[in-house]
Amino acid sequence: MGNRVTRDDFEWVYTEQPHTQRRKEILAKYPEIKTLMGPDPHLKWIVSAMVFMQLLACYLVKDLSWKWIFFWAYAFGGCINHSLTLAIHDISHNVAFGNKQAKWNRWFAVFANLPIGIPYSASFKKYHIDHHRYLGGDSLDVDIPTDFEGWFFCTPLRKLLWLFLQPLFYSLRPLYVNPKAITRMEILNALVQFSVDLIIYYLWGLKPVIYLIAGTILCLGFHPISGHFIAEHYMFLKGYETYSYYGPLNWLTFNVGYHMEHHDFPSIPGCRLPMVKKIAAEYYDNLPHHQSWIRVLWDFVFDDTLGPYSRVKRRCKLAKES
């Protein structure tokens, strides 16, 4: 797939992220893209249906044996929960109720968080802003693995283990790379989440709670949908730090595969990102993109030139300093 070398460090660059300039060019040429910005009127209903579907599943699995609890957690419930994390991703850009209703978006993200079993939405929002503003930023973008991850997880077996442990690294890495004070919204997120977990436990026992949490952990780890974690920003081709995927799993993931388009226009909801590609086709059609998230995972594990170090890094000035 081009010139590759075994990596012992990140790909350091000294240029700005490409999305800012491309956004300016596309808007200058196609100003109608601005009409795609704004809330997705269907998102709140889709997310609500998914939340209630998982609550119904909690009732249905309460008497199953443990092997079936974990089977359905991986095969069904975890897929819903992973999809809900990506709904929360969209909601973090205020596309459920619009920028003027920021609090509604924050609380709706807490509602979408309920089947995930672990408080997530408020912390994700806090760090995801930096991922867009300082893409690849050293000590700012916590999506970038640590040096330890790049150094240690460098063989196929270790990279496979790293994929299984993705939920652990994604949750702990921010505390090491870019620790921030706990916010009031994070506390409220945790109180609501653990209260609902306790209610489910009181009503139906331990198994539904394990079904929810196990599904989240399993399907954010080594799972076909989790291929998007690697596909989005790992450098499969030198010089390219963001990649899109246009395959069928976008139907389950709120079009997170349209990742170049998303970083160019984060205020456009996932349901409208295909329109961005259609309108500004000449800006996207010739850029490298992925055909399969499963193939992404396979290549990541077995290609010696790919690993946690396969990320573009840059040093960024904080916005207040610029």
Side-chain angles (χ1 to χ4, degrees):
M1 217 180 172
N3 295 326
R4 290 176 168 182
V5 293
T6 302
R7 308 201 62 85
D8 58 4
D9 195 4
F10 298 102
E11 179 79 5
W12 286 91
V13 300
Y14 304 93
T15 57
E16 296 294 325
Q17 60 165 293
H19 302 287
T20 305
Q21 182 59 33
R22 188 160 60 223
R23 181 186 309 122
K24 291 178 181 177
E25 292 181 14
I26 291 175
L27 285 176
K29 189 172 183 179
Y30 301 108
E32 64 268 28
I33 280 183
K34 291 182 180 179
T35 64
L36 302 177
M37 300 175 183
D40 171 6
H42 305 296
L43 183 62
K44 56 184 175 291
W45 304 115
I46 295 170
V47 169
S48 297
M50 294 168 70
V51 170
F52 288 116
M53 185 185 303
Q54 279 292 70
L55 292 177
L56 174 62
C58 285
Y59 172 77
L60 295 175
V61 304
K62 64 184 177 67
D63 297 320
L64 295 181
S65 65
W66 282 108
K67 67 177 180 181
W68 287 110
I69 292 288
F70 286 102
F71 171 82
W72 287 114
Y74 187 81
F76 177 76
C79 298
I80 301 295
N81 285 3
H82 196 141
S83 184
L84 283 169
T85 68
L86 296 171
I88 290 169
H89 164 258
D90 247 19
I91 297 164
S92 75
H93 292 286
N94 292 334
V95 301
F97 297 97
N99 289 321
K100 294 181 179 179
Q101 301 289 348
K103 283 190 176 181
W104 287 37
N105 286 285
R106 297 295 79 75
W107 279 108
F108 189 64
V110 170
F111 172 72
N113 196 145
L114 295 180
I116 294 170
I118 304 165
Y120 162 83
S121 63
S123 298
F124 176 82
K125 166 69 176 176
K126 181 171 69 174
Y127 283 102
H128 191 63
I129 295 170
D130 288 345
H131 173 61
H132 278 269
R133 184 178 294 162
Y134 309 115
L135 180 64
D138 185 33
S139 299
L140 293 170
D141 183 359
V142 298
D143 193 59
I144 302 283
T146 61
D147 279 301
F148 169 76
E149 292 170 74
W151 167 77
F152 184 78
F153 296 101
C154 58
T155 67
L157 188 59
R158 291 181 186 181
K159 287 190 283 186
L160 184 63
L161 175 63
W162 185 74
L163 292 174
F164 274 105
L165 296 177
Q166 281 273 51
L168 179 67
F169 285 111
Y170 265 93
S171 59
L172 296 182
R173 190 187 299 141
L175 305 179
Y176 170 76
V177 173
N178 187 15
K180 297 185 179 186
I182 296 175
T183 65
R184 179 174 176 271
M185 197 68 212
E186 285 178 292
I187 295 172
L188 294 172
N189 184 189
L191 288 174
V192 171
Q193 184 63 59
F194 292 136
S195 296
V196 171
D197 290 346
L198 285 172
I199 290 170
I200 292 173
Y201 173 75
Y202 176 79
L203 291 175
W204 300 315
L206 181 63
K207 287 181 177 179
V209 178
I210 297 298
Y211 161 79
L212 293 177
I213 296 175
T216 297
I217 294 172
L218 291 171
C219 283
L220 291 175
F222 189 69
H223 190 276
I225 297 177
S226 292
H228 79 87
F229 288 126
I230 306 301
E232 290 165 0
H233 296 293
Y234 283 77
M235 196 176 65
F236 282 71
L237 272 177
K238 186 176 176 64
Y240 295 92
E241 60 184 296
T242 307
Y243 302 79
S244 284
Y245 155 81
Y246 302 120
L249 287 177
N250 278 306
W251 286 91
L252 302 177
T253 57
F254 297 92
N255 281 336
V256 75
Y258 286 78
H259 217 66
M260 289 184 291
E261 296 84 351
H262 170 64
H263 271 265
D264 288 350
F265 300 99
S267 59
I268 294 179
C271 66
R272 299 187 194 125
L273 290 176
M275 289 299 298
V276 174
K277 183 178 185 297
K278 183 177 180 180
I279 292 170
E282 70 271 26
Y283 286 92
Y284 299 108
D285 286 351
N286 295 321
L287 291 176
H289 58 273
H290 294 292
Q291 303 287 345
S292 165
W293 282 340
I294 295 175
R295 177 61 188 268
V296 163
L297 293 173
W298 177 274
D299 288 346
F300 182 82
V301 170
F302 293 107
D303 189 329
D304 291 338
T305 67
L306 293 171
Y309 266 142
S310 301
R311 292 292 297 262
V312 169
K313 286 190 81 171
R314 54 175 55 85
R315 289 185 172 88
C316 300
K317 289 185 178 181
L318 293 174
K320 63 181 179 181
E321 298 174 354
S322 58

